[in-house]
Amino acid sequence: MTSPKKLPRPSLRPTRTRRPDTDMPDVPFSCPCGEIKGTLHGATPTSGNHVRCYCSACRAAVLYTTGVDVEDRGVELYQTTPDKISFEQGQENLAVFSFSPKKLLRYRASCCGAPLFTMLPTPKFALAGVMTDLLADKTAIGPVAMEAFVPQPDGSSKHTSVVRLYGGTMWRALVARITGRWKQTPFFDIATGKPVAEIYVPTPEERARLPL
Ligand SMILES: [Zn+2]
Ligand SMILES: [Zn+2]
């Protein structure tokens, strides 16, 4: 008895439902004075996290760079990976400061002083926060989806939607690490692992005026 002739098996591969990143909206951004211009690629409510952060360091960073105290209103960021950010002009105007050398790096505009991006101190953990006020069109990223360090009546703080806040961020950073996309960053010199500008640490006198 001969075995039946093998029929071609139907493909079990699921049909692709997610559009590639290239189809996702590109949103222009610029610093307030217009010297720095660039594009946030793949800006959607689900390809990044639209966060409002109430932590004292974010409040202090805005006060330090702009002189404006956001008080209890928080600071809005869109968390994505650095490879989704590109510059058309003014990249040389990026300045970097940090309240502590091992803490979050904060990129600001040397032209007009404005806060622009937050970055972890190593490019290997691909996480970038974009100040949403820079975006030409905020509707692409949807409304704030989660809040971080929300002050509680007892003086503590909590995050809303913690799983998405850290889960999505960690996952995207991990994928960027595995695929090598972490090396596509305009914020670091990959050869040295150092930021593109010297990290300035505010002096004790400057810090004393901030709510840190
Ligand atoms: Zn914060
Ligand atoms: Zn500027």
Side-chain angles (χ1 to χ4, degrees):
M1 195 174 155
T2 57
S3 58
K5 204 178 167 198
K6 257 190 175 174
L7 289 166
R9 284 175 54 173
S11 169
L12 294 174
R13 196 177 296 168
T15 49
R16 193 185 174 97
T17 49
R18 262 192 65 182
R19 292 180 304 165
D21 278 359
T22 46
D23 289 349
M24 288 183 175
D26 285 350
V27 177
F29 66 80
S30 73
C31 67
C33 83
E35 278 290 313
I36 300 174
K37 285 192 197 321
T39 304
L40 172 64
H41 303 272
T44 72
T46 52
S47 56
N49 293 333
H50 190 180
V51 185
R52 179 175 288 122
C53 186
Y54 295 90
C55 83
S56 57
C58 282
R59 180 184 167 192
V62 172
L63 181 60
Y64 175 61
T65 51
T66 68
V68 175
D69 189 354
V70 299
E71 297 176 351
D72 57 0
R73 296 188 297 278
V75 172
E76 264 190 48
L77 292 157
Y78 180 72
Q79 292 179 330
T80 181
T81 48
D83 60 296
K84 297 284 192 287
I85 299 164
S86 66
F87 290 90
E88 272 89 65
Q89 67 172 61
Q91 196 178 348
E92 68 281 3
N93 293 336
L94 288 178
V96 185
F97 73 99
S98 179
F99 292 124
S100 155
K102 288 224 160 72
K103 286 205 176 147
L104 214 59
L105 301 179
R106 294 176 185 273
Y107 287 65
R108 66 183 296 193
S110 63
C111 37
C112 52
L116 307 173
F117 307 99
T118 59
M119 221 66 57
L120 286 173
T122 166
K124 291 184 178 172
F125 197 101
L127 172 64
V130 183
M131 300 292 285
T132 58
D133 285 347
L134 309 174
L135 300 175
D137 174 19
K138 271 215 273 190
T139 58
I141 58 170
V144 170
M146 63 211 76
E147 299 187 306
F149 301 100
V150 184
Q152 299 299 300
D154 65 357
S156 66
S157 67
K158 74 168 194 185
H159 307 309
T160 62
S161 192
V162 176
V163 173
R164 230 187 116 193
L165 178 60
Y166 290 109
T169 301
M170 296 288 184
W171 175 248
R172 273 186 285 277
L174 183 66
V175 170
R177 187 70 202 277
I178 292 166
T179 58
R181 267 199 296 116
W182 65 275
K183 291 178 185 165
Q184 295 165 31
T185 171
F187 301 101
F188 289 90
D189 176 350
I190 286 301
T192 63
K194 294 215 166 79
V196 290
E198 198 75 36
I199 304 170
Y200 178 76
V201 179
T203 63
E205 295 74 46
E206 287 173 318
R207 292 174 56 102
R209 294 194 290 269
L210 302 172
L212 282 167

